[in-house]
Amino acid sequence: MTYPGFVWKNGMRNKRRAILTMMSVALAVFVMATLVSFVAQLDRNMNEASPLRLITRHAVSLTNSLPERYRAQIEKIPGVVAVSELNWFGGIYIDEAHTDFAQFACDARTLFDVFDEVRIPPDQKEAFMRERTAAVIGRRKAEKHGLKLGDRITIKPRDIPIDVPLELTIRGIFEGTVNNEAQLFFHRDYLEEVMGRPGWVGTYWIRVDSPESVSRVSETIDALFQNTEAPTKTETERAFNMSFVSMLGNLKQLVATISGVIIFTLLLVTGNTMAMSVRERIREIAVLKSLGFHRGEVLRLLVAEGVLITVTGGLAGCLAARVIFGWLDLGAFSLGFFQQVDVTWPIIAAGLAVSAVVGIVSAGIPALRAANLTVAEGLRHVG
């Protein structure tokens, strides 16, 4: 019998206890991998923000609107390349379960000038700009819902005070970011017409010509409307996104605290299991030592059994997290703002490392005590 086979056979001697321990480790590592992946995905979303994009919103609250006349004044500011209004619609596509993408009313003429990293065929872009009820959607969401060019969709209002749904035609499918190809854009003119032309804008999205212009343009915009009925707050896209994340508190500290508690609890559970396993085999260990096994060999054997159990459980937990979140689309649970959690291979490697450390620590202490017993003490032991 090979050494790994010998370790596995001994580790699985009490199958029920070993499997329950593996399941405990798998669940704990699954939770840790999920939390860490969630924070890592938020960081990736932050890094996708363009350093040349600014967002102007109402200074009091994002729920307050701005007059549409502000746009003409913003466009005259030196350094401003493009401006597009975005109005959050928040409607329902088919039902709640299918509404996993955000919808925004925009200025079709300048949308892709502001989001210049987005790729869309020129003919689709032109078709979108020409037709009042046209819409464009990200490729990932189009493929998920089976949407193609020319399809008509209905978006029922939920957060907007109108009585009729929006009837839209898909005229373009874009690729690139804009939150991982997970948003739908349609004409703000169409929304204004349906709402009776109130003339209000949710946010202005602005692209500037250089990083040096960011601070100057931001300050100029806010100073321009400081003493009006609708004062503004202008910030970078990254800062704007961070304002949503900050509502959740200090996530990194929270995740670190929860992970620490999970590891400590896991150590208690696995430590108790390993101690029981070693205590039941004291006389067997004494026999091994009488046959010529050295103290170090016995110690390595027992620790290897513990590591085998915890790493197997940790691997199951990590792979389960990767498979589940690779399949699960979170858009419907986050109003389309947050789409997925990517459990990367480095996170899986970290989960396996934690599992191995837990196995070494939990098995190491009882294994060290057993390895230090003399043959006579071991043979006299009563389990």
Side-chain angles (χ1 to χ4, degrees):
M1 180 180 291
T2 62
Y3 184 80
F6 183 62
V7 171
W8 176 258
K9 187 175 181 64
N10 279 286
M12 296 298 294
R13 178 177 299 185
N14 189 322
K15 289 185 173 59
R16 178 182 297 176
R17 185 165 60 201
I19 291 173
L20 288 175
T21 303
M22 289 179 185
M23 291 174 62
S24 299
V25 176
L27 180 59
V29 173
F30 175 87
V31 173
M32 286 192 296
T34 299
L35 293 174
V36 172
S37 299
F38 180 76
V39 173
Q41 188 65 48
L42 288 177
D43 287 340
R44 282 191 289 272
N45 289 347
M46 294 301 104
N47 293 333
E48 286 182 355
S50 171
L52 299 181
R53 255 194 310 268
L54 301 173
I55 294 90
T56 296
R57 60 181 179 86
H58 198 288
V60 175
S61 170
L62 189 61
T63 59
N64 293 17
S65 299
L66 299 172
E68 61 183 5
R69 67 176 183 274
Y70 281 11
R71 173 174 177 163
Q73 300 177 67
I74 294 174
E75 289 177 326
K76 296 177 182 178
I77 298 174
V80 172
V81 175
V83 180
S84 185
E85 307 101 335
L86 286 188
N87 282 41
W88 162 258
F89 186 70
I92 298 175
Y93 171 62
I94 301 179
D95 54 34
E96 294 283 355
H98 288 80
T99 311
D100 56 359
F101 53 88
Q103 313 109 37
F104 289 97
C106 69
D107 178 7
R109 298 167 302 168
T110 58
L111 176 67
F112 296 109
D113 294 329
V114 173
F115 295 98
D116 57 331
E117 75 276 15
V118 172
R119 302 182 302 278
I120 184 171
D123 58 329
Q124 296 181 21
K125 181 180 177 180
E126 289 296 326
F128 172 52
M129 289 190 291
R130 283 197 308 266
E131 189 174 339
R132 181 179 61 91
T133 58
V136 294
I137 191 170
R139 179 167 298 281
R140 192 158 66 87
K141 289 303 176 184
E143 292 176 351
K144 178 183 177 182
H145 295 289
L147 296 174
K148 58 185 183 298
L149 296 178
D151 285 353
R152 294 182 61 83
I153 64 172
T154 300
I155 306 294
K156 293 174 287 187
R158 175 173 51 186
D159 301 324
I160 303 295
I162 57 177
D163 298 325
V164 295
L166 298 183
E167 301 290 342
L168 304 173
T169 305
I170 302 298
R171 294 302 184 193
I173 298 176
F174 63 82
E175 297 178 348
T177 57
V178 185
N179 289 354
N180 301 319
E181 303 176 0
Q183 296 184 9
L184 177 140
F185 297 93
F186 60 95
H187 287 248
R188 180 174 169 272
D189 286 343
Y190 179 33
L191 180 62
E192 281 284 294
E193 179 182 314
V194 173
M195 294 182 66
R197 300 204 173 277
W200 293 98
V201 173
T203 54
Y204 288 100
W205 288 64
I206 305 155
R207 186 164 68 88
V208 298
D209 56 4
S210 68
E212 292 74 22
S213 299
V214 169
S215 178
R216 177 181 54 79
V217 171
S218 299
E219 294 172 359
T220 302
I221 293 174
D222 292 343
L224 192 62
F225 306 114
Q226 183 175 8
N227 297 317
T228 64
E229 76 282 6
T232 62
K233 179 179 180 179
T234 304
E235 55 195 343
T236 63
E237 183 180 10
R238 181 181 178 84
F240 180 76
N241 292 339
M242 283 296 295
S243 65
F244 289 97
V245 176
S246 64
M247 297 178 187
L248 303 176
N250 191 337
L251 278 180
K252 292 185 178 180
Q253 182 178 349
L254 179 62
V255 168
T257 302
I258 294 175
S259 298
V261 172
I262 290 174
I263 293 173
F264 179 73
T265 305
L266 194 58
L267 280 171
L268 295 179
V269 173
T270 55
N272 181 63
T273 301
M274 300 306 169
M276 291 173 58
S277 177
V278 171
R279 187 167 58 248
E280 293 171 355
R281 297 165 56 195
I282 293 295
R283 298 186 69 181
E284 177 187 324
I285 293 168
V287 172
L288 288 176
K289 295 181 75 172
S290 69
L291 294 175
F293 279 75
H294 299 295
R295 171 179 172 274
E297 291 175 322
V298 174
L299 180 62
R300 286 194 295 272
L301 178 65
L302 296 175
V303 171
E305 292 175 15
V307 171
L308 177 66
I309 291 174
T310 57
V311 169
T312 302
L315 180 62
C318 287
L319 293 181
R322 181 174 176 84
V323 171
I324 290 173
F325 289 108
W327 166 80
L328 186 64
D329 194 319
L330 302 177
F333 305 101
S334 63
L335 298 178
F337 282 113
F338 193 86
Q339 296 298 321
Q340 64 182 17
V341 171
D342 186 12
V343 183
T344 62
W345 291 113
I347 292 176
I348 292 177
L352 294 179
V354 170
S355 303
V357 170
V358 168
I360 292 171
V361 174
S362 61
I365 297 174
L368 184 61
R369 294 180 60 187
N372 284 331
L373 290 175
T374 64
V375 174
E377 290 173 330
L379 292 175
R380 287 198 304 266
H381 179 79
V382 179

